[in-house]
Amino acid sequence: MNAPRDPKLLYERYGRQLLVDGADFSGQQALHGLAAVFAADTSEVGQAAAQVCAHYLVGAGLGRAVAPSAWAARLQDLDPQLILSDNPRLAEPPVAQFWFAQRPYGASVDVALTDAAQAPSATDLDTPTAHTTAWTQGATGPARVATLRLVLGQPATADAAVVLGALAADLVAADVLKLAALPALVAVDWSDPDHPHIEKTERGPQQSSGGAAAAAPSLLAELKRDPQVLQVAWSESCARYPQEACGLVLRDAAGLLSVVAAPNVQDRYHALDPQAYPRTARTAYKLNERLIAKAAEQGQHLVAIWHSHCDAGAYFSAEDVRCAAPNDQPLYPEVAYLVVSVIGGAVAGAQMYHWDPVCRGFAPEMQPN
Amino acid sequence: MPVQRRRTCAAVATWRRVGLNVPSALALEQLPIAIVGCGGLGVPAAWTLVLAGCRRLTLVDDDCIELSNLHRQVLYPHAAIGLSKAQQLATALQARFGPLDIHCRQLRVTAETVSPALNGCAAVVECTDDAASKFIVNDWLVADRGRTGTMAAAIGRGGQWFTVSRHTSCYRCLFQQPPDPQILATCSVAGVLGPVVGAVGSWAARSLLAALQGQPDAAHGALVRFSPRGLLRTAVVRAADCICADASYRDGPDAPNPPH
Amino acid sequence: MATIKIPTPLRKFTGEKDSVEVTAATVGEALQALEAAHPGLLAKIVDDEGKIRRFINVYAGDEDVRFLDGLQTPVGARDEISIIPAIAGGAHG
């Protein structure tokens, strides 16, 4: 175990990383205490991915690394404090071991993370290859084992190495920094260009088989199931054109969705104070927020706010962002926003947006293909 | 086993129409590609392009390396703190991959500098953390028709990328104008995890390569977002009122290919 | 006693209570009483000049007080004052 790093240096070097939600100094020190062994099959992608992974983990604050002497010195260039070796036997726990390999479907990496308290015997740390064999045989060792698959539909070439290596580094860094526990299996599926997705199987007492869904179910798709429901928003948007229309999407206790139109009171505010409200209903909307409380009294729960854009796309505009999340703080983080594009008086499209707390922005909803 | 679908997409048709073969690794060697921003996204993007066989790069960045960059800009040695990112990225790539044809432009892309900075480049990966720069590059791609480009961004534990060509919607169809900088979180306030930026920058470069090689790609005319929740793809339709909807851009002849 | 309805994002100031009872003659007095009971809350509702913030609405009953007498709007004993984050936006940046 390395001596802890100087906190001032930690802050100067890893400040941007320490700002990430959930990261802290203790996680950063834990990464400094970790050793990692980077190994790969003889494929170009495997060799390159091991290098990439090593660079990103050392960059993130890894304390000790075991890597082939052909490129290990570059890691020391990146972090002069790094303790370097080319002998896997010297990697005492806590240790992360990586094995990168080209596969018929793309490429993969096996990761074994051995915590300090559960040190394997010296014979277990023979060579990374021997260790890999033990994992694939399903040995129930002290290590937590994970597999990351990059599915491309064909054997991966060298240019896939950066994605694979960086994602492998992310798995281990996120675990040690206590941002996300090491999952059992991650399949990053890039084989269908229309539907890239990630399937994750968490480890734990009840290992789910299907893996976590890549995204929440689409609210817009649910609304579209009953054409009558959205018709309210469509006809109101057309009727109000060339002014913006607005309203609420509500869910009742039985789970049924309904769409209601609300008067656009923007012009009233504009007339009262044109300086504070420079826009008219032509390019802005505002609704009486008391409607939410009134709906709640009827057992109707607000799930989305909808409005139309006249002769403009169904994008979430800068004004929409400014009003929905002033100073980057969402006013209704749990509520979605539906934007309806009306061009020349007819509905041209619609898009649903959700607040993404990770990216701190509004993300369009993924539609089922 | 899922098999990648080999669709003949519009880009292939265009390459053929203008008498070019669909670019292979050999052609990539000749193709001049620019990387705008040599930071957390630019480094993995460049690394990926060179691993794919690209040999001609233009690296654009006016910034110098700082200690707080090294956790994510992992091709820079500690000893290079204070030196030019563009120059140091060129040095790091040459040291690892042998002689490459690299031009460094130590400048920031603005409406005035974009044209001379990217002149002669067939494709661009936009990797700065400056939203305005993405719009400038997008507008250059649209104005200088026939060019292909990918805009990448990352923050916290996620990121996104979008590939623009003449055959797809553009960045302005998605975001009409740059967001107010005051409400935009940047890495300096929201933080960013190094390996995540690595994956996003590399994915962006791979998307550009796929579009250049006429292969179907998830981010071609679509926003792909990566976060701990997974991958999210949103196809973006060309907006009727967008600059890229102009018929002479959409249907007109391609710009001449830069000289080899 | 007038009742002030507190929106979810501000309930961290009121120990998660969704409404607070105050004795006041005007909306402004009601907000002062709210501040006295739950310090820090007022700054979220009005700016340094004492004006209601752009993205916050204060309703007396069903009407935005901006259309009444603002913070001088009188309140009766049974009135309900609602503080609600604004719902607004618009096309073109």
Side-chain angles (χ1 to χ4, degrees):
Chain A
M1 183 69 108
N2 296 3
R5 291 206 205 219
D6 171 17
K8 185 165 172 286
L9 176 83
L10 270 189
Y11 184 75
E12 282 176 5
R13 181 165 182 135
Y14 305 105
R16 296 290 181 275
Q17 185 160 291
L18 288 163
L19 281 170
V20 173
D21 200 11
D24 61 16
F25 278 94
S26 71
Q28 197 65 54
Q29 295 286 19
L31 199 51
H32 182 57
L34 184 76
V37 182
F38 302 95
D41 65 3
T42 54
S43 70
E44 245 190 307
V45 63
Q47 292 286 326
Q51 283 198 47
V52 171
C53 182
H55 276 77
Y56 275 104
L57 264 191
V58 170
L62 182 75
R64 297 171 289 150
V66 176
S69 49
W71 48 270
R74 300 200 195 287
L75 303 175
Q76 192 109 58
D77 289 342
L78 175 59
D79 182 359
Q81 288 200 3
L82 180 76
I83 297 171
L84 204 58
S85 165
D86 59 1
N87 185 352
R89 283 179 181 278
L90 298 180
E92 284 177 23
V95 59
Q97 290 174 289
F98 293 87
W99 175 256
F100 292 88
Q102 191 184 41
R103 303 287 177 194
Y105 56 79
S108 73
V109 52
D110 294 312
V111 184
L113 199 54
T114 311
D115 298 322
Q118 305 161 316
S121 65
T123 50
D124 288 343
L125 286 168
D126 193 11
T127 63
T129 322
H131 220 78
T132 315
T133 315
W135 305 343
T136 50
Q137 285 167 351
T140 50
R144 287 180 291 148
V145 179
T147 299
L148 180 116
R149 293 190 187 129
L150 183 62
V151 181
L152 303 171
Q154 57 194 7
T157 46
D159 53 297
V162 182
V163 165
L164 183 65
L167 288 177
D170 182 43
L171 278 190
V172 169
D175 183 278
V176 178
L177 293 170
K178 295 189 280 297
L179 303 174
L182 192 72
L185 175 69
V186 183
V188 180
D189 193 329
W190 211 257
S191 59
D192 179 354
D194 292 332
H195 184 49
H197 60 282
I198 296 178
E199 278 184 44
K200 202 179 279 183
T201 309
E202 303 292 342
R203 73 186 58 254
Q206 297 123 14
Q207 282 209 346
S208 61
S209 54
S218 161
L219 181 59
L220 187 55
E222 191 186 347
L223 277 168
K224 281 179 176 169
R225 255 177 245 151
D226 182 354
Q228 297 298 317
V229 173
L230 269 179
Q231 193 54 46
V232 176
W234 287 184
S235 44
E236 175 77 2
S237 297
C238 296
R240 293 283 157 249
Y241 178 88
Q243 297 198 328
E244 294 195 4
C246 56
L248 307 174
V249 180
L250 304 164
R251 195 189 288 280
D252 68 13
L256 284 179
L257 289 173
S258 60
V259 173
V260 296
N264 182 352
V265 295
Q266 179 68 28
D267 280 346
R268 207 171 159 236
Y269 280 82
H270 174 72
L272 177 78
D273 187 351
Q275 276 202 315
Y277 303 90
R279 288 162 176 246
T280 64
R282 171 72 183 81
T283 58
Y285 78 99
K286 179 158 176 34
L287 54 77
N288 185 320
E289 294 83 5
R290 285 278 299 154
L291 292 172
I292 303 169
K294 290 184 175 173
E297 285 164 17
Q298 310 285 320
Q300 300 270 3
H301 173 69
L302 178 69
V303 293
I305 296 156
W306 70 267
H307 75 281
S308 65
H309 284 177
C310 298
D311 296 324
Y315 51 81
F316 208 62
S317 71
E319 176 73 0
D320 289 331
V321 175
R322 197 153 45 227
C323 296
N327 304 317
D328 203 25
Q329 297 296 324
L331 298 175
Y332 296 88
E334 306 298 325
V335 173
Y337 288 81
L338 173 65
V339 184
V340 181
S341 161
V342 184
I343 309 241
V347 172
Q351 181 62 265
M352 187 77 78
Y353 298 86
H354 295 262
W355 174 255
D356 184 334
V358 174
C359 297
R360 298 209 67 76
F362 287 92
E365 202 169 63
M366 186 178 75
Q367 295 307 311
N369 293 297
Chain B
M1 190 69 57
V3 177
Q4 183 160 5
R5 274 188 265 159
R6 291 275 169 204
R7 294 180 307 192
T8 307
C9 77
V12 178
T14 308
W15 285 103
R16 295 208 172 116
R17 201 173 66 232
V18 297
L20 288 170
N21 289 323
V22 175
S24 58
L26 198 68
L28 281 183
E29 209 171 279
Q30 298 296 324
L31 208 61
I33 301 181
I35 294 170
V36 175
C38 300
L41 292 162
V43 164
W47 202 343
T48 303
L49 291 178
V50 175
L51 280 171
C54 300
R55 313 298 287 177
R56 299 179 63 190
L57 297 178
T58 297
L59 306 177
V60 185
D61 200 312
D62 68 340
D63 221 359
C64 292
I65 299 162
E66 292 173 29
L67 179 59
S68 65
N69 296 149
L70 295 183
H71 88 273
R72 60 190 190 282
Q73 301 173 17
V74 297
L75 285 181
Y76 298 133
H78 191 273
I81 290 171
L83 303 178
S84 149
K85 285 187 182 178
Q87 294 284 358
Q88 286 301 308
L89 183 53
T91 306
L93 292 172
Q94 309 265 22
R96 284 167 174 80
F97 298 101
L100 301 165
D101 178 9
I102 300 184
H103 295 268
C104 295
R105 308 236 160 102
Q106 280 169 253
L107 53 85
R108 180 172 291 264
V109 162
T110 64
E112 288 73 41
T113 62
V114 64
S115 232
L118 302 183
N119 185 33
C121 295
V124 188
V125 200
E126 207 292 340
C127 292
T128 69
D129 61 353
D130 175 11
S133 175
K134 296 184 201 318
F135 286 84
I136 292 166
V137 169
N138 179 75
D139 294 354
W140 178 80
L141 292 169
V142 173
D144 200 10
R145 58 184 182 275
R147 307 285 185 255
T148 304
T150 302
M151 325 293 164
I155 198 157
R157 296 188 60 209
Q160 60 186 41
W161 60 103
F162 183 97
T163 296
V164 174
S165 79
R166 203 159 69 82
H167 309 285
T168 66
S169 52
C170 79
Y171 205 63
R172 277 194 196 274
C173 300
L174 179 67
F175 306 107
Q176 203 173 42
Q177 63 181 42
D180 185 345
Q182 288 186 323
I183 60 162
L184 200 71
T186 62
C187 296
S188 54
V189 292
V192 65
L193 211 58
V196 171
V197 205
V200 171
S202 178
W203 254 319
R206 285 171 58 75
S207 169
L208 180 76
L209 290 172
L212 287 171
Q213 292 177 296
Q215 290 167 3
D217 179 72
H220 200 190
L223 185 72
V224 176
R225 310 177 95 242
F226 169 71
S227 79
R229 290 192 304 182
L231 280 162
L232 203 100
R233 174 183 186 268
T234 311
V236 177
V237 184
R238 205 191 286 267
D241 58 347
C242 184
I243 50 166
C244 72
D246 183 273
S248 66
Y249 164 70
R250 204 179 56 219
D251 308 322
D254 276 310
N257 217 38
H260 283 184
Chain C
M1 297 282 272
T3 305
I4 305 182
K5 293 276 185 193
I6 310 295
T8 315
L10 297 183
R11 283 181 201 160
K12 56 177 184 270
F13 290 95
T14 61
E16 298 307 318
K17 277 196 291 184
D18 63 357
S19 67
V20 175
E21 306 266 308
V22 294
T23 308
T26 65
V27 169
E29 283 179 24
L31 294 181
Q32 292 293 350
L34 181 66
E35 171 70 11
H38 304 287
L41 197 42
L42 188 62
K44 299 284 173 190
I45 302 166
V46 299
D47 62 18
D48 297 341
E49 295 168 14
K51 274 181 70 176
I52 295 168
R53 289 186 180 278
R54 171 85 164 81
F55 295 107
I56 286 283
N57 292 308
V58 178
Y59 282 89
D62 284 338
E63 183 62 291
D64 188 330
V65 298
R66 289 187 181 96
F67 295 101
L68 302 170
D69 288 329
L71 296 177
Q72 270 71 56
T73 304
V75 289
R78 289 185 181 181
D79 278 353
E80 191 172 278
I81 299 169
S82 312
I83 298 159
I84 320 182
I87 295 179
H92 299 294

